[in-house]
Amino acid sequence: MTVSRKIALFDLDHTLIPIDSDYEWGEFTIALGWCDSTEFKRRNAEFFEHYRAGTLDIHEYVRFATQAIREQGAINSGAGHARFMRDVVQKAITKQALALVDGHRAAGDELVIVTATNEFVTRPIADAFGVKELIAVELERDAQGWVTGEIRGTPSARYGKVTRMEQWLAARKLGWDDVETTFYTDSMNDIALLEKATHPVATNPDERLRALAAERGWRILDLFI
């Protein structure tokens, strides 16, 4: 009997960390003096509400969200993000979240973070959890190797998470039937991937997802109390 490869999939924002890293990074760029505070806060909050409602135009949002780093360049942006990790993200990484990831690691599961936030913001966060495999919104690069504000390939948002996960599996000559997946997420935006997972786990779920999980008999995990 063939044993399926076991994969633990984790959404990031409000799942592994009790913050929205993309939103908080935007707020941090204001603190760095990279953005006009009033206008940026207005637009950032507007985009965040669209995300929560499932109506976000992710291409428009990524152009907005990457404007500051495009203007600052790679060196300044990297230094700014290092401060963001120290001042914001590290304080948001809890023992409970680390224990959840470490438990799957100890069980021999492959670990993958699947997030709708872009790779610039999330790669260092994945590293902080010791997770090598990151499926995030990939950013187009110019001839100098810096971001253009456009998205490369399929954005890993909503059903795009399923598409990107299928591409990840195909690159390893695998399909859904070859793997046993556990997927942790807080959001109804991830319903498509929850329905694909062998073991869907509504994690710190919003009210709609909590109700749906109860209806379907999915596990509910309140990681942050």
Side-chain angles (χ1 to χ4, degrees):
M1 181 177 177
T2 302
V3 178
S4 296
R5 289 172 64 169
K6 293 186 176 181
I7 304 175
L9 307 173
F10 304 92
D11 178 43
L12 181 62
D13 301 322
H14 297 294
T15 300
L16 281 183
I17 52 177
I19 61 173
D20 184 290
S21 59
D22 214 1
Y23 181 86
E24 295 298 336
W25 166 246
E27 294 293 297
F28 197 74
T29 61
I30 294 172
L32 292 173
W34 292 359
C35 307
D36 174 79
S37 175
T38 301
E39 179 62 11
F40 189 92
K41 281 178 176 289
R42 183 191 68 78
R43 295 197 66 200
N44 203 23
E46 186 178 272
F47 280 119
F48 187 53
E49 288 306 312
H50 277 296
Y51 169 75
R52 293 179 65 185
T55 57
L56 179 69
D57 180 335
I58 195 164
H59 294 272
E60 182 183 2
Y61 175 70
V62 167
R63 293 183 197 106
F64 163 76
T66 59
Q67 182 177 347
I69 63 170
R70 284 185 280 127
E71 293 173 352
Q72 290 294 319
I75 294 175
N76 283 350
S77 296
H81 197 288
R83 289 179 59 186
F84 174 65
M85 288 295 297
R86 183 189 68 225
D87 296 349
V88 178
V89 176
Q90 290 292 349
K91 295 175 182 178
I93 296 177
T94 66
K95 292 180 180 179
Q96 299 97 308
L98 290 170
L100 177 65
V101 174
D102 288 343
H104 280 283
R105 183 181 290 111
D109 298 350
E110 294 183 68
L111 309 177
V112 185
I113 289 176
V114 189
T115 175
T117 299
N118 73 70
E119 59 182 316
F120 173 82
V121 173
T122 56
R123 178 71 265 175
I125 304 175
D127 290 344
F129 278 95
V131 177
K132 178 182 177 183
E133 297 296 328
L134 171 67
I135 296 175
V137 172
E138 297 184 355
L139 301 173
E140 284 281 6
R141 308 273 169 161
D142 60 22
Q144 288 70 47
W146 193 227
V147 299
T148 66
E150 300 303 318
I151 294 171
R152 183 174 69 241
T154 301
S156 48
R158 298 177 68 82
Y159 194 84
K161 286 193 176 183
V162 175
T163 301
R164 290 286 304 281
M165 190 61 205
E166 289 174 346
Q167 292 171 348
W168 188 92
L169 290 168
R172 291 154 179 79
K173 302 187 186 314
L174 297 169
W176 291 110
D177 292 340
D178 302 310
V179 295
E180 181 180 341
T181 54
T182 303
F183 178 42
Y184 298 87
T185 184
D186 71 294
S187 177
M188 284 290 288
N189 282 313
D190 291 337
I191 187 65
L193 188 52
L194 281 166
E195 291 176 337
K196 281 286 188 181
T198 315
H199 308 290
V201 185
T203 309
N204 320 311
D206 57 28
E207 290 183 5
R208 290 183 301 160
L209 181 55
R210 187 178 294 274
L212 182 65
E215 177 185 317
R216 297 193 180 184
W218 293 345
R219 180 184 170 199
I220 297 173
L221 173 63
D222 289 306
L223 197 60
F224 310 122
I225 299 174

